Amino acid sequence: DAKTTQPPSMDCAEGRAANLPCNHSTISGNEYVYWYRQIHSQGPQYIIHGLKNNETNEMASLIITEDRKSSTLILPHATLRDTAVYYCIVRVAGDTGFQKLVFGTGTRLLVSP
Amino acid sequence: DVKVTQSSRYLVKRTGEKVFLECVQDMDHENMFWYRQDPGLGLRLIYFSYDVKMKEKGDIPEGYSVSREKKERFSLILESASTNQTSMYLCASSLTISGSGNTIYFGEGSWLTVV
């Protein structure tokens, strides 16, 4: 079962910042928060991940609250090509210690002109 | 950049056929995975491999087998395709299994239709 909660959909104007929230209130101390996105008919694309500190890369920024119970993915200047389903994922340890990815329903982001 | 390449994007196969889905990664990753993705069910893990010739069952291995003869290549085999195996299949890889922070990278997906 997914351990995260995201809004089902969001809209954003092209060129504006898109802020996508995620709640993960049961996250444990050694679990990372990962963000992926999936454009229609393609495989999920890795965006960013973090543990405690805020992270930034060429695609996005990740802001994690101090209590780690929620996070926000920020696309600073959204483009039409950023229209996709965005998944917030907490890494889950499997029975063999192997960490599986459990994708929830994600947030469908629509970037409009 | 990590590249995970799936050999076929779209396939149509007949019920009972043996189907091979091939996947290659170019980053010397230890671990490779096969998922399927269906509307309303999300991603489900079929099999994974943490080393050459090693494999472990995921959540839904029934009707599937895998082969990993070389580190960079992981094949998914449908021994006798059935219509309920119509789905999008995703191959993925990661550098390590143990410890947090290892990132899983996905291929573009293979859309399989069984008729």
Side-chain angles (χ1 to χ4, degrees):
Chain A
D1 292 335
K3 296 174 65 175
T4 63
T5 304
Q6 300 176 253
S9 64
M10 293 183 66
D11 295 326
C12 180
E14 188 178 20
R16 305 297 294 268
N19 298 286
L20 290 87
C22 179
N23 288 320
H24 32 79
S25 59
T26 60
I27 192 170
S28 61
N30 64 348
E31 288 181 317
Y32 281 64
V33 179
Y34 278 76
W35 283 83
Y36 284 79
R37 72 181 182 185
Q38 190 167 23
I39 297 169
H40 183 61
S41 299
Q42 297 182 20
Q45 178 188 21
Y46 164 76
I47 301 173
I48 198 167
H49 73 280
L51 182 63
K52 294 180 181 179
N53 300 321
N54 298 337
E55 302 288 344
T56 296
N57 64 19
E58 65 278 4
M59 290 183 68
S61 295
L62 175 60
I63 309 297
I64 301 175
T65 58
E66 191 169 345
D67 63 8
R68 302 212 322 126
K69 292 185 177 182
S70 66
S71 60
T72 301
L73 179 75
I74 301 172
L75 308 179
H77 306 286
T79 70
L80 299 179
R81 289 184 297 177
D82 291 323
T83 292
V85 178
Y86 287 77
Y87 296 99
C88 168
I89 299 151
V90 168
R91 295 300 293 270
V92 178
D95 292 338
T96 60
F98 164 63
Q99 296 186 334
K100 295 191 253 188
L101 280 180
V102 180
F103 280 59
T105 54
T107 296
R108 187 173 299 275
L109 175 68
L110 176 62
V111 181
S112 303
Chain B
D1 286 347
V2 175
K3 185 74 171 177
V4 179
T5 303
Q6 296 182 228
S7 57
S8 303
R9 283 283 279 148
Y10 302 96
L11 306 93
V12 179
K13 298 292 182 181
R14 295 192 181 277
T15 300
E17 274 193 79
K18 191 169 187 177
V19 181
F20 293 86
L21 299 179
E22 306 286 346
C23 176
V24 176
Q25 49 91 5
D26 67 356
M27 285 300 291
D28 202 35
H29 281 176
E30 300 291 330
N31 316 300
M32 297 188 74
F33 315 88
W34 276 105
Y35 293 85
R36 63 178 282 179
Q37 186 175 29
D38 301 287
L41 297 176
L43 265 72
R44 292 181 290 169
L45 182 63
I46 304 172
Y47 267 97
F48 67 95
S49 168
Y50 51 89
D51 201 354
V52 175
K53 297 189 184 296
M54 306 301 289
K55 61 184 179 183
E56 293 285 343
K57 293 180 180 179
D59 298 319
I60 52 163
E62 295 79 19
Y64 303 93
S65 62
V66 290
S67 172
R68 192 161 181 208
E69 297 296 319
K70 294 184 178 182
K71 190 175 186 179
E72 68 271 16
R73 187 178 298 270
F74 192 36
S75 303
L76 180 70
I77 304 154
L78 286 67
E79 297 291 341
S80 177
S82 64
T83 55
N84 63 11
Q85 292 179 309
T86 291
S87 184
M88 181 165 81
Y89 290 86
L90 289 163
C91 177
S93 73
S94 72
L95 181 61
T96 64
I97 276 183
S98 59
S100 297
N102 50 310
T103 299
I104 294 179
Y105 297 92
F106 287 85
E108 285 293 299
S110 297
W111 288 88
L112 172 66
T113 300
V114 182
V115 298

